[in-house]
Amino acid sequence: MEEKVIIERMKKLREHIELKYLKEKLDNEIQNNDCEKQVRNVKYIGNVNIEGETKEVYLIQEQEVENKYNVIKENLNCYTEDGVLVGRYLEYMDSIILVEQFKDVDDIYDQINKLDLNGKLDLEEIEKAQLERIANTLGIEKEDIESMSSIELAQKIEEKEYKEDEATQANQKEDEEKQNLNKKETKKITDGKQEIKLGTRVDETKTLGKVLDLNESEYSKVVIVYSEKLKKLQGENATINNTMYSFVAIKKDGTSELINDRLKVDERSGNDSLKDSIKIDADEKARKDNKTKTRFQVIGKNGENEGRSDYEKETLSVEPGQYGEIKAYYGKGRTTDNVNIETQLETSNIKPTSVELRKMQAERKGIHKESNEKMAKEADYYFNKGADEISMYSADGDKNTIVLADYIESNKEEIVTKIMQNEIIANSQFGKKDIEEKLKRVTDDEKTKTYTQEEIQEKINKIEEEIETDAGYFQTRVRR
């Protein structure tokens, strides 16, 4: 079997297990069980015969985190290609112990434990190697890979591949060019533009294909294109959105189709809007600005969503990025103040977004008008105090997920003033600058960890106690 087929299955298996964990998490939250699970790596170790049927077998490194006690536990579990748990690896026995379901299956224990448990293919190593190959293609030093923007890398390699592809197509036969006329028309408007696969998840469970009602057996992706290019290709009389960008669906045969019937320009913020919106980017940072150039409401294939309130219609928006790339966002409506809250989508130039980011759009949060109000209220607390960028947990609308770094930065003056009113500190050599440096050291160590309001206050009180202790110790040494 081709290696690339197995790699694709490894990725799908990782996604399958993560989705299973996500469903477990939803049930656990109802039971107040504070536990997180995630997949760290997938390894292909070979094939086994189970009751006459050949099955691929994978070792999956899983991490279990009990947030309440901050305990991390690593497990190595063995699965078949279709996500069935076969056994668990026990380090002290250096073997995979079968689960109850497979204990009586002939020869399977010996089959599995004779395989290379170090893995014939390692997904983590493969994905790192892919990034290194991109860097090598562009002449970038290996040491600089981590510091290089993934968006910038992807864009440069895409430009190189496009030039190579263009040169190859110039040598194709004339009859083949005529046969692929629709494909070439598609290429004229889509080359160099961001692609979004239909299987891309917009929230915890829903895909972009589901949102746009595009059948993934017929369509493969959507591409964001300049509307002006569509006009030039289809003529001035064509029905083209009067926006900077448009969405085009790409079929599996390489041809394209406009999907204007499924999208409606958001009249309040659709075209080069000056209206602020809250965006949560792939790096899990939230910001509030007016960079959106195009925003659409999703009305569905037959306009079935037209009856929804404008405050609760799903949206797709587009804005230009720092490196000239096009960034795409998904949202579930807006607040009563017409503020949209949207999360970034994975594209051909944006690395996969995290499950935690997609949870920001979770259906279980309830009616999204109410959810958006809570998220905007929390985020505005920090933005109104001058913050340009905050953690996404400071914009999730949950009062029990306060990020210490964001809170201290936004309330620094008040915290410093309160600490300086401490009599011991006030009578010491400690000044405002010393206290600010102490606060910075604390927040540098805890960039994303979240606390309840009560825990935040306890943290700040503890900082004050530490400064008071240092001040008292310093005074004692001075007197000596």
Side-chain angles (χ1 to χ4, degrees):
M1 183 175 295
E2 290 187 18
E3 182 176 301
K4 64 181 181 180
V5 175
I6 296 178
I7 293 172
E8 189 62 32
R9 285 185 181 171
M10 292 166 80
K11 292 179 179 179
K12 288 182 178 179
L13 186 56
R14 176 174 61 187
E15 184 175 332
H16 171 78
I17 301 299
E18 285 182 339
L19 185 58
K20 181 187 74 171
Y21 289 161
L22 185 57
K23 290 177 179 177
E24 287 178 359
K25 175 64 177 174
L26 297 181
D27 293 337
N28 289 341
E29 285 184 354
I30 295 173
Q31 300 166 15
N32 295 319
N33 187 341
D34 194 12
C35 180
E36 294 280 355
K37 293 182 181 178
Q38 53 191 255
V39 174
R40 306 301 298 175
N41 194 17
V42 181
K43 293 182 180 181
Y44 167 64
I45 61 174
N47 296 348
V48 296
N49 186 289
I50 301 177
E51 297 180 335
E53 187 176 358
T54 300
K55 292 283 187 180
E56 294 165 22
V57 182
Y58 298 86
L59 268 185
I60 297 187
Q61 182 184 359
E62 305 172 32
Q63 187 181 75
E64 185 173 335
V65 182
E66 297 179 17
N67 292 327
K68 185 175 181 181
Y69 304 103
N70 200 28
V71 173
I72 298 178
K73 182 169 66 176
E74 298 281 353
N75 299 309
L76 265 180
N77 291 330
C78 180
Y79 290 86
T80 63
E81 62 196 68
D82 40 11
V84 177
L85 178 64
V86 178
R88 306 183 189 281
Y89 176 78
L90 297 183
E91 186 174 5
Y92 72 92
M93 295 182 66
D94 192 26
S95 62
I96 293 172
I97 305 304
L98 302 178
V99 296
E100 194 67 33
Q101 177 184 349
F102 291 96
K103 283 184 177 179
D104 296 328
V105 178
D106 289 342
D107 198 34
I108 188 164
Y109 175 85
D110 291 335
Q111 286 187 68
I112 289 180
N113 283 288
K114 284 179 182 178
L115 298 175
D116 181 5
L117 300 186
N118 290 321
K120 294 183 177 182
L121 291 174
D122 185 307
L123 187 57
E124 184 177 34
E125 291 180 0
I126 290 168
E127 291 179 334
K128 284 183 179 178
Q130 288 172 341
L131 185 59
E132 288 183 8
R133 282 198 295 272
I134 291 175
N136 291 335
T137 301
L138 299 173
I140 300 169
E141 293 295 330
K142 183 178 179 181
E143 296 76 25
D144 296 332
I145 293 174
E146 293 302 323
S147 60
M148 192 79 174
S149 163
S150 61
I151 299 173
E152 187 175 13
L153 280 172
Q155 185 145 349
K156 286 183 179 180
I157 196 65
E158 185 179 0
E159 290 171 359
K160 185 177 186 301
E161 289 173 348
Y162 167 67
K163 290 177 182 177
E164 293 173 351
D165 184 53
E166 190 178 50
T168 301
Q169 290 200 19
N171 297 322
Q172 288 182 333
K173 296 179 181 180
E174 184 177 350
D175 59 343
E176 185 179 351
E177 290 178 351
K178 289 179 181 178
Q179 181 181 352
N180 295 332
L181 180 62
N182 287 336
K183 294 182 182 180
K184 287 191 174 295
E185 288 180 340
T186 299
K187 194 173 181 62
K188 285 180 183 179
I189 61 170
T190 61
D191 265 354
K193 299 300 176 289
Q194 263 69 344
E195 301 175 352
I196 312 176
K197 294 179 180 178
L198 290 187
T200 298
R201 295 196 181 279
V202 299
D203 59 18
E204 293 176 296
T205 58
K206 191 159 47 176
T207 65
L208 181 63
K210 179 69 173 176
V211 170
L212 294 173
D213 195 16
L214 292 170
N215 191 325
E216 292 182 43
S217 65
E218 181 181 0
Y219 300 88
S220 61
K221 58 194 173 186
V222 296
V223 179
I224 304 167
V225 304
Y226 286 108
S227 299
E228 200 60 38
K229 278 195 172 184
L230 286 174
K231 289 180 182 178
K232 290 180 180 179
L233 185 65
Q234 297 200 330
E236 293 296 327
N237 296 326
T239 306
I240 307 295
N241 290 318
N242 186 29
T243 59
M244 179 176 289
Y245 301 106
S246 290
F247 284 87
V248 174
I250 307 299
K251 295 183 177 181
K252 290 193 172 180
D253 63 4
T255 60
S256 61
E257 179 181 313
L258 288 176
I259 52 175
N260 292 346
D261 57 334
R262 301 161 199 258
L263 299 169
K264 173 185 176 183
V265 176
D266 189 327
E267 296 174 357
R268 288 185 172 87
S269 60
N271 192 18
D272 205 10
S273 169
L274 295 178
K275 184 73 176 177
D276 280 348
S277 61
I278 295 174
K279 298 287 183 65
I280 305 176
D281 290 302
D283 62 0
E284 301 188 351
K285 295 290 186 180
R287 57 188 165 85
K288 188 174 185 179
D289 55 40
N290 60 2
K291 292 182 180 180
T292 297
K293 291 298 180 183
T294 301
R295 179 176 287 110
F296 296 101
Q297 293 178 344
V298 180
I299 59 174
K301 185 176 181 180
N302 300 305
E304 60 264 29
N305 296 332
E306 280 281 39
R308 286 187 187 176
S309 161
D310 280 352
Y311 297 112
E312 294 175 7
K313 282 180 183 172
E314 293 170 288
T315 60
L316 293 174
S317 68
V318 183
E319 70 174 53
Q322 181 180 357
Y323 303 101
E325 78 285 2
I326 300 171
K327 300 166 72 174
Y329 295 83
Y330 167 81
K332 284 191 169 81
R334 57 174 180 266
T335 69
T336 51
D337 292 330
N338 293 326
V339 175
N340 289 84
I341 301 176
E342 299 166 309
T343 48
Q344 190 168 10
L345 294 175
E346 175 188 348
T347 70
S348 52
N349 279 358
I350 301 296
K351 64 183 180 180
T353 56
S354 68
V355 173
E356 294 301 324
L357 175 69
R358 298 194 292 272
K359 281 183 181 179
M360 296 295 111
Q361 302 288 3
E363 296 285 357
R364 60 186 169 81
K365 286 188 173 186
I367 299 173
H368 252 74
K369 177 182 176 183
E370 296 174 1
S371 177
N372 286 339
E373 297 286 353
K374 292 178 182 178
M375 293 171 74
K377 182 178 180 180
E378 183 183 16
D380 282 340
Y381 171 84
Y382 299 100
F383 293 136
N384 292 339
K385 285 178 174 285
D388 294 321
E389 188 179 71
I390 58 177
S391 165
M392 68 179 182
Y393 296 108
S394 293
D396 65 357
D398 186 347
K399 62 183 180 181
N400 292 317
T401 57
I402 301 173
V403 179
L404 180 64
D406 289 338
Y407 186 87
I408 288 180
E409 184 62 31
S410 298
N411 296 276
K412 188 186 298 181
E413 288 297 323
E414 296 96 314
I415 295 170
V416 171
T417 299
K418 178 183 179 297
I419 292 176
M420 290 186 69
Q421 289 172 352
N422 182 300
E423 187 175 348
I424 296 175
I425 298 172
N427 292 327
S428 72
Q429 299 296 317
F430 281 76
K432 178 180 179 182
K433 186 176 180 181
D434 299 309
I435 297 172
E436 288 178 345
E437 287 179 356
K438 171 70 173 178
L439 292 173
K440 186 177 187 304
R441 287 197 298 273
V442 172
T443 56
D444 282 348
D445 291 338
E446 299 192 22
K447 289 288 187 183
T448 60
K449 193 170 181 182
T450 61
Y451 300 92
T452 65
Q453 181 68 57
E454 185 179 55
E455 290 169 337
I456 286 285
Q457 193 55 55
E458 289 175 359
K459 275 279 186 183
I460 294 171
N461 290 341
K462 185 177 180 181
I463 294 170
E464 181 178 343
E465 289 172 5
E466 291 173 356
I467 297 174
E468 180 184 307
T469 300
D470 291 343
Y473 177 74
F474 182 80
Q475 289 294 85
T476 301
R477 289 185 62 85
V478 170
R479 285 197 294 271
R480 287 178 181 174

